[in-house]
Amino acid sequence: MKLWVKLALTTVLVLLAATLSSGAAVLYQALLYNQEKTMESGHQQLSSTAYALARELQNGPFKGYSEATKNSYINYTMKKFGISKYVLIEDGEILCNRTPFDLADAGDERWQQEEGSGIIQKRGEQYILIEGQRVPTSDGSSYALVLVQDISELYQDMKRQTVLGLWILAGAAAIAMLLIFLTTKRILRPLRELQKAATDISEGVLTRRANVYTKDEIGIVAQAFNRMADKIESQVTELSRVSEQRRQMLGSLTHELKTPMTSIIGYSDTLLHVNVKKEQQQRALWHIKEECSRLERLSSKLMNLMGLYENDSISMEEIPMEELFAHVAQMEKYHLEKMGMTLTCTCSMGKRQVDRDLMESLLINLIDNGAKASKAGDEIFLVGEGNKITVRDGGCGIPEDEIGRVTEAFYMVDKARSRKAGGCGLGLALCEMIARLHGAGLEIKSKAGEGTEVSVVFSR
Amino acid sequence: MQGIKVMKTRILVVEDDSSISELVCMNLEAAGYEPLPFMDGLVTERFLKEVCISDRVSAKTEVPALALVDVMLPGKDGFELMEDFQKAQIPVIYLTAKDDVLSKVHGLKTGAEDYIVKPFEVLELLVRMEKVLKRTGRSRKVIQVKDVTIDLAEHSVSKGGERVALKPLEYELLVTLAGSRNVAFSREELLNRIWGTDYVGETRTVDVHIGQLRKKLGFHKVIRTISKTGYRLEDLDE
């Protein structure tokens, strides 16, 4: 059963029970009150009639009358007080009965009391009020007057009212039920939307959000749900981005492996099966060795990159950047001098949290890249200021449309040239990885023919 | 025919990796072709335009008979160069590491004659080249080995001007070995290529025919037995 049906049904049932029981209570109270009223009025009538009758019967006005005369006198007297609802009793004998009923217990003690008392008797469908008292004569005669009255009207009224009340209740209940059903359904409608959103998301529509703007608990749940969906979406996007990156890297890697493999297989095949000149045999062997060392370089760079992915081996420490620059300059000095280039360092940075080895290898990589692009006599600048370390060269630069791709693993702007210089297209990918581990990013500005400027920009 | 220098078939090698370029050239040279290496797409394009303009008959340099082209090239890639090759009427074999089916289909659809995936074996490359040359009617008409001339049009062989009578299978064997000179063939390969794949024979048959060729042409030192492999016809330009 749906929640809104359950809620509506429960509410309706509780409401019905409450109205029914309170209605019944009210009706019962009314019945009691009416009974009492009827009894009271009967009592008053009885006592006033008894009083009047006492005056008539006082001193035995019909003493000495014959039985028949006495009877007709009494009948006359009774008739005088009208209303055919009294029974007159003398010494337990019915003297006169003007009611259509037979009084069974004429000698009952109750009718001999000064104060009247009565009961309500049920005879079939009829309710009869029987009330009696002594007629207060002062001459010692014992007359009793009993009021016998059909009060079924009272109960029929009650019954009619009950039926009417039930009809009204049923009508009200029907309307209430309709209203409750509609409102409950309306209140719970956002839940359906929430459920649809969840289904959509589970089916892969990650951009789906629950459009619930109510301020109640459902609204709060929907907000939490949407926050969860945001998180899931961003994580899934991130995951697929990373796996796409890995896939691309693997693709490039196999391609990168194919080239040296082709050379090695081709040259060894040539040496085995083809009769080539002596010096060509030497060239073939040299190529095989050269391609093998290219593979070796590739594998060690890859190991570096993998190591960085698992970044446990990183130890950050506070290091004065000036000292780091000096160390880098010293390491690059011989290498650059051999190519006829100079490195100019300026540093106005203070201390920074870095991993010494990684940061050094990043800078050396950048300087080597600059050196590869430059020619003898050129100058390379290493500048540290603010939150930025920049390596600038005046070399051949990067074509504008390739700047975005140079940090991709295995990407080389000029393959032939890069290979000759011993590159395998992993340098900048490695640099970017190191920068990212330091919470920094790489910024590359370059103009073909004018030089390149690569900056490591720290976020703080 | 003695003394006449037979002009070698020119092959364009467009490959940006110097090591692979040298590998291909080395083998083409050994097999008796004249390789013409190019490393860059744009330079190749310029060369092809020149070929188109120059009058074929009066051209000093012979027009290449075939091009071996890498797909990924700096400047202009192999697929983009196809149009230029077609204008210059040079058949193309793609030579590439891109071994996915789609690029293969693309390569062949644009009009390439064949598609060889790296890494490849030398013999496979030579055989496929030979097939393309034959199909496009650019096979050599005459093969010269030492003092022996093979006239492919007339199916005749002469040594020092003297005609040598060879049996059909011996002739086929000689043409196969001389066509990819300096490259070793295994006995099984020779059996397959000359006797056909249906032939159920022993590899001894090859040995017998090789013996006949050696005797008839005096090629005892020219056709060498390569241990564990097979035979190789050796003739290097000095």
Side-chain angles (χ1 to χ4, degrees):
Chain A
M1 203 189 272
K2 294 239 171 93
L3 183 60
W4 72 271
V5 180
K6 270 189 208 169
L7 272 177
L9 274 184
T10 322
T11 323
V12 165
L13 283 179
V14 169
L15 197 68
L16 270 181
T19 7
L20 265 178
S21 53
S22 56
V26 167
L27 279 173
Y28 183 67
Q29 282 302 320
L31 179 68
L32 285 186
Y33 177 76
N34 285 342
Q35 258 175 14
E36 206 169 300
K37 271 275 184 251
T38 317
M39 298 245 308
E40 205 162 299
S41 82
H43 187 71
Q44 268 169 13
Q45 275 179 49
L46 181 69
S47 63
S48 61
T49 312
Y51 186 72
L53 199 63
R55 280 221 305 248
E56 294 288 332
L57 297 179
Q58 207 129 330
N59 302 319
F62 39 80
K63 239 172 223 160
Y65 288 7
S66 72
E67 196 69 10
T69 322
K70 183 180 173 183
N71 271 348
S72 57
Y73 177 77
I74 285 173
N75 264 330
Y76 163 76
T77 314
M78 291 289 279
K79 215 184 248 168
K80 203 164 75 182
F81 292 107
I83 322 167
S84 52
K85 52 187 177 186
Y86 292 105
V87 180
L88 188 65
I89 298 166
E90 187 184 16
D91 293 333
E93 296 280 320
I94 292 176
L95 218 54
C96 173
N97 187 354
R98 298 193 54 81
T99 68
F101 306 103
D102 277 329
L103 191 64
D105 45 357
D108 199 303
E109 275 297 306
R110 277 177 300 177
W111 321 135
Q112 298 302 325
Q113 305 296 318
E114 289 288 334
E115 266 304 300
S117 67
I119 51 157
I120 292 170
Q121 198 179 13
K122 192 175 180 229
R123 271 181 82 241
E125 284 296 296
Q126 280 179 318
Y127 286 86
I128 298 151
L129 174 68
I130 307 168
E131 193 162 9
Q133 76 166 96
R134 208 176 78 88
V135 178
T137 49
S138 50
D139 57 351
S141 56
S142 61
Y143 294 109
L145 189 66
V146 176
L147 176 80
V148 180
Q149 194 181 353
D150 186 348
I151 54 165
S152 300
E153 191 72 9
L154 183 69
Y155 289 88
Q156 273 156 15
D157 264 4
M158 282 318 290
K159 220 180 214 165
R160 272 201 298 279
Q161 272 181 35
T162 310
V163 171
L164 185 67
L166 277 176
W167 274 115
I168 291 172
L169 188 68
I175 291 169
M177 199 146 37
L178 193 70
L179 284 177
I180 287 169
F181 268 65
L182 287 179
T183 45
T184 324
K185 196 168 180 180
R186 206 185 136 77
I187 287 169
L188 295 184
R189 188 179 298 154
L191 274 182
R192 279 186 66 79
E193 162 65 13
L194 205 57
Q195 179 233 329
K196 275 190 202 147
T199 315
D200 283 353
I201 287 175
S202 70
E203 276 165 7
V205 190
L206 293 177
T207 48
R208 180 79 154 85
R209 295 290 176 274
N211 297 317
V212 176
Y213 304 107
T214 52
K215 293 213 165 70
D216 55 8
E217 285 87 337
I218 299 176
I220 292 168
V221 170
Q223 274 174 20
F225 177 86
N226 284 346
R227 273 199 300 279
M228 182 189 75
D230 284 345
K231 197 92 190 167
I232 289 175
E233 191 189 358
S234 71
Q235 276 177 1
V236 167
T237 320
E238 175 65 16
L239 261 180
S240 49
R241 197 185 63 77
V242 167
S243 79
E244 173 62 15
Q245 217 173 29
R246 293 233 166 135
R247 206 185 59 76
Q248 271 179 3
M249 200 171 125
L250 264 180
S252 327
L253 178 65
T254 39
H255 182 255
E256 234 22 62
L257 286 176
K258 270 237 164 118
T259 321
M261 287 301 184
T262 306
S263 283
I264 292 168
I265 292 172
Y267 280 114
S268 44
D269 184 36
T270 305
L271 285 177
L272 275 175
H273 296 135
V274 184
N275 177 33
V276 290
K277 291 173 196 155
K278 199 85 189 155
E279 66 267 24
Q280 283 180 326
Q281 287 178 7
Q282 289 300 315
R283 289 287 296 166
L285 279 173
W286 180 83
H287 271 301
I288 290 174
K289 184 180 164 284
E290 201 56 23
E291 294 302 321
C292 284
S293 44
R294 193 208 285 191
L295 283 180
E296 157 62 22
R297 273 199 305 277
L298 188 67
S299 81
S300 59
K301 277 262 168 80
L302 268 180
M303 289 296 272
N304 278 344
L305 209 54
M306 302 270 235
L308 290 185
Y309 268 117
E310 285 157 14
N311 57 29
D312 330 319
S313 52
I314 294 162
S315 57
M316 296 286 206
E317 48 184 330
E318 194 94 340
I319 290 171
M321 293 311 268
E322 217 156 331
E323 188 190 311
L324 191 109
F325 277 27
H327 194 232
V328 169
Q330 208 214 322
M331 280 199 286
E332 283 291 72
K333 199 176 163 213
Y334 174 70
H335 178 57
L336 289 177
E337 260 175 20
K338 220 169 64 176
M339 295 196 286
M341 301 170 196
T342 45
L343 179 69
T344 312
C345 290
T346 39
C347 180
S348 59
M349 291 172 107
K351 289 180 171 188
R352 249 184 197 286
Q353 278 278 2
V354 292
D355 180 299
R356 182 189 284 273
D357 292 336
L358 287 182
M359 194 41 81
E360 276 180 11
S361 103
L362 190 162
L363 294 181
I364 286 171
N365 244 311
L366 291 184
I367 293 168
D368 280 348
N369 277 350
K372 278 178 204 161
S374 307
K375 53 189 187 304
D378 281 355
E379 205 174 350
I380 294 168
F381 297 90
L382 173 60
V383 184
E385 52 184 7
N387 61 344
K388 203 161 150 184
I389 304 175
T390 306
V391 175
R392 196 171 66 237
D393 68 65
C396 59
I398 307 168
E400 204 180 326
D401 53 334
E402 306 201 36
I403 288 179
R405 296 190 60 195
V406 291
T407 52
E408 272 174 35
F410 301 114
Y411 190 80
M412 289 177 242
V413 174
D414 185 342
K415 251 205 295 185
R417 206 188 138 102
S418 176
R419 290 252 170 78
K420 241 171 247 160
C424 53
L426 281 177
L428 276 177
L430 212 59
C431 288
E432 186 166 53
M433 194 73 203
I434 294 173
R436 226 184 287 159
L437 288 175
H438 286 83
L442 281 193
E443 237 179 53
I444 303 169
K445 282 183 217 149
S446 183
K447 226 173 197 167
E450 283 179 27
T452 308
E453 194 181 304
V454 183
S455 306
V456 184
V457 185
F458 293 91
S459 55
R460 59 211 137 68
Chain B
M1 289 258 268
Q2 198 184 11
I4 297 171
K5 182 91 182 111
V6 176
M7 217 195 260
K8 286 180 177 169
T9 308
R10 218 171 224 220
I11 308 287
L12 216 55
V13 179
V14 190
E15 163 68 62
D16 64 326
D17 189 285
S18 60
S19 161
I20 293 176
S21 175
E22 194 180 334
L23 168 73
V24 174
C25 291
M26 189 185 283
N27 282 293
L28 289 184
E29 221 174 283
Y33 294 100
E34 189 191 337
L36 192 62
F38 282 94
M39 312 282 257
D40 182 282
L42 291 173
V43 178
T44 314
E45 187 188 12
R46 222 173 300 140
F47 171 79
L48 290 171
K49 290 235 163 86
E50 272 170 34
V51 168
C52 281
I53 296 162
S54 65
D55 186 6
R56 274 158 180 280
V57 185
S58 66
K60 277 185 197 138
T61 54
E62 202 201 332
V63 174
L66 181 70
L68 299 175
V69 184
D70 187 13
V71 173
M72 302 231 277
L73 288 171
K76 196 170 182 187
D77 78 30
F79 291 144
E80 290 170 340
L81 280 172
M82 186 42 115
E83 214 180 307
D84 302 302
F85 279 113
Q86 279 173 335
K87 272 185 196 148
Q89 295 184 317
I90 300 172
V92 171
I93 297 179
Y94 281 122
L95 205 61
T96 177
K98 270 186 160 183
D99 57 351
D100 58 304
V101 179
L102 274 182
S103 69
K104 220 179 251 191
V105 168
H106 180 73
L108 295 174
K109 254 191 182 167
T110 50
E113 292 293 333
D114 207 346
Y115 201 98
I116 299 178
V117 172
K118 294 175 190 172
F120 49 85
E121 277 184 34
V122 177
L123 191 58
E124 187 197 355
L125 174 69
L126 293 175
V127 168
R128 292 213 193 187
M129 279 172 55
E130 217 172 281
K131 284 210 168 127
V132 170
L133 287 173
K134 206 170 191 177
R135 196 160 60 222
T136 53
R138 288 153 196 262
S139 318
R140 287 169 279 197
K141 304 283 180 289
V142 175
I143 301 174
Q144 182 86 39
V145 183
K146 304 273 184 195
D147 57 346
V148 172
T149 309
I150 309 164
D151 191 323
L152 291 163
E154 286 180 19
H155 286 252
S156 66
V157 178
S158 55
K159 184 181 167 69
E162 300 272 326
R163 185 127 179 192
V164 181
L166 291 180
K167 285 179 187 160
L169 284 173
E170 287 165 3
Y171 172 79
E172 288 293 330
L173 190 57
L174 179 64
V175 170
T176 305
L177 289 173
S180 301
R181 71 182 67 179
N182 293 313
V183 179
F185 286 85
S186 70
R187 290 179 178 81
E188 285 77 17
E189 255 157 17
L190 290 171
L191 262 183
N192 278 344
R193 292 183 56 159
I194 296 153
W195 280 265
T197 39
D198 299 337
Y199 181 78
V200 196
E202 286 180 57
T203 46
R204 281 286 304 157
T205 323
V206 180
D207 297 341
V208 171
H209 283 78
I210 291 282
Q212 288 294 319
L213 269 184
R214 276 177 175 158
K215 213 162 80 185
K216 284 183 181 171
L217 298 170
F219 271 6
H220 294 284
K221 279 197 176 150
V222 178
I223 299 178
R224 273 190 56 190
T225 310
I226 310 295
S227 60
K228 284 177 191 162
T229 308
Y231 296 101
R232 183 160 76 193
L233 188 146
E234 297 192 343
D235 179 20
L236 284 178
D237 294 334
E238 298 313 325

